[in-house]
Amino acid sequence: MRQIMEVKLLRPRRADPQAIPILVNGIEPAIINVASMCGRRAMPAWSEYSASKYALCGLTEALARQLARFDIDILLIVPASLKVSFRSTSAFGGEGEDRIRQGDAAADVAARIVRSLQKNKTETWIGSDTQWMLRVNRWFPRFVDYMLARKVRKLYEAG
């Protein structure tokens, strides 16, 4: 939990005090924080990650109000997941095979971030999973709870 909070919340926060004096003198200054869909809707089995991303979303919202006096824009990017390759770890402690996690291509996410910056969009949801989950969750949170619980039950039945 400490390591996740350090990487996902505290490191981005430590950069702000150093950047603000530079940004104050900039032309159209902005800070962009990349959170996650889990920062707007906690996901089962990802409690620590979700908590760190919720905290980053809250920090971003607070900084937006705090830095408004300096005309520094604060943008929050909320992607679902990125398509990345990684080396899995086998259940027996050794290295597993190379895998590719499904998600949005990094270049596509980067392009959306640039567009959000150009449009000065305060919060941008990226990816169809994010759009679906957060829109449905806004009006039918119990339905999303039900669907997530159902998925978790199936995962545990299979294991």
Side-chain angles (χ1 to χ4, degrees):
M1 177 69 139
R2 288 180 197 274
Q3 183 179 12
I4 289 172
M5 285 297 191
E6 176 66 35
V7 172
K8 305 294 183 191
L9 174 67
L10 299 176
R11 284 187 187 164
R13 179 58 182 122
R14 283 194 199 111
D16 293 337
Q18 297 166 357
I20 291 168
I22 297 166
L23 291 170
V24 166
N25 296 317
I27 299 170
E28 298 184 44
I31 294 173
I32 300 171
N33 284 331
V34 180
S36 165
M37 175 175 68
C38 296
R40 292 296 188 206
R41 180 56 162 100
M43 300 302 276
W46 290 27
S47 56
E48 294 86 357
Y49 180 81
S50 293
S52 71
K53 293 303 186 171
Y54 258 91
L56 184 59
C57 290
L59 175 68
T60 302
E61 291 172 2
L63 280 176
R65 284 24 165 227
Q66 182 178 331
L67 299 179
R69 62 193 166 125
F70 298 121
D71 289 326
I72 297 174
D73 297 323
I74 312 294
L75 286 72
L76 179 64
I77 306 299
V78 183
S81 64
L82 293 175
K83 185 181 291 184
V84 294
S85 64
F86 63 96
R87 185 124 180 108
S88 67
T89 303
S90 76
F92 302 105
E95 287 295 318
E97 71 276 5
D98 288 331
R99 294 187 177 176
I100 296 178
R101 182 176 74 191
Q102 297 302 310
D104 296 309
D108 294 339
V109 173
R112 289 287 310 273
I113 291 171
V114 169
R115 280 198 304 274
S116 295
L117 183 59
Q118 290 168 338
K119 293 180 179 181
N120 193 22
K121 214 170 163 196
T122 305
E123 184 168 336
T124 302
W125 297 350
I126 298 177
S128 58
D129 288 348
T130 302
Q131 299 288 330
W132 178 88
M133 176 74 73
L134 298 181
R135 282 193 173 125
V136 172
N137 189 65
R138 178 177 287 159
W139 301 108
F140 305 104
R142 298 286 306 239
F143 173 72
V144 174
D145 288 342
Y146 168 79
M147 296 301 289
L148 290 172
R150 193 172 125 188
K151 185 168 187 154
V152 168
R153 277 193 288 282
K154 284 183 182 181
L155 286 173
Y156 280 99
E157 287 171 2

